[in-house]
Amino acid sequence: MSTAVDDDLWSAIGDPTRRRMIDLLLADGQGTATTLSAHLPVTRQAVTKHLAVLDRVGLVRSASAGREKRYQVDEAQLARAVAQLNSVGEIWDARLRRVKSLAEAIQRAKDAEK
């Protein structure tokens, strides 16, 4: 994934309504804008726009079903997003351990001066 794709992906996931939509799609296996809007505090039109964002970054796939589109989560893309998040978490954990170590060293130096 390129940095631009990563930015778009995280921007898409950063919205709480879209995260809820992903949860609903995962729970039900699939859904339409109409079925999703019944569970969300937004209009069907807003759901359609959110689905377009998720589709653009590859988190959902759609298939025509009569007059509506049925959406489902692209589990491979979601797995890549989860792996990236885990990687970022590990990097930040290492940074925080380093900050803690430095803070403890500074505190020990101050205690030794007393």
Side-chain angles (χ1 to χ4, degrees), residues 17-85:
T17 299
R18 290 192 281 264
R19 285 194 309 272
R20 178 71 178 126
M21 290 169 65
I22 291 170
D23 289 342
L24 291 168
L25 290 171
L26 286 170
D28 295 339
Q30 65 178 358
T32 64
T34 302
T35 59
L36 290 169
S37 66
H39 300 284
L40 298 165
V42 296
T43 65
R44 183 191 175 287
Q45 291 79 12
V47 168
T48 300
K49 289 179 182 182
H50 283 296
L51 286 167
V53 171
L54 293 172
D55 189 34
R56 188 179 72 243
V57 299
L59 284 170
V60 298
R61 290 174 295 176
S62 65
S64 294
R67 292 176 30 166
E68 291 198 294
K69 286 185 177 181
R70 293 200 180 279
Y71 292 86
Q72 64 184 55
V73 174
D74 182 323
E75 293 186 19
Q77 180 72 338
L78 183 60
R80 284 190 291 274
V82 169
Q84 285 181 347
L85 184 58

Side-chain angles (χ1 to χ4, degrees), residues 92-109:
W92 276 100
D93 285 347
R95 288 176 180 168
L96 291 173
R97 283 191 299 274
R98 179 70 179 138
V99 168
K100 180 182 177 190
S101 176
L102 290 170
E104 289 170 344
I106 290 168
Q107 187 60 48
R108 281 192 301 275

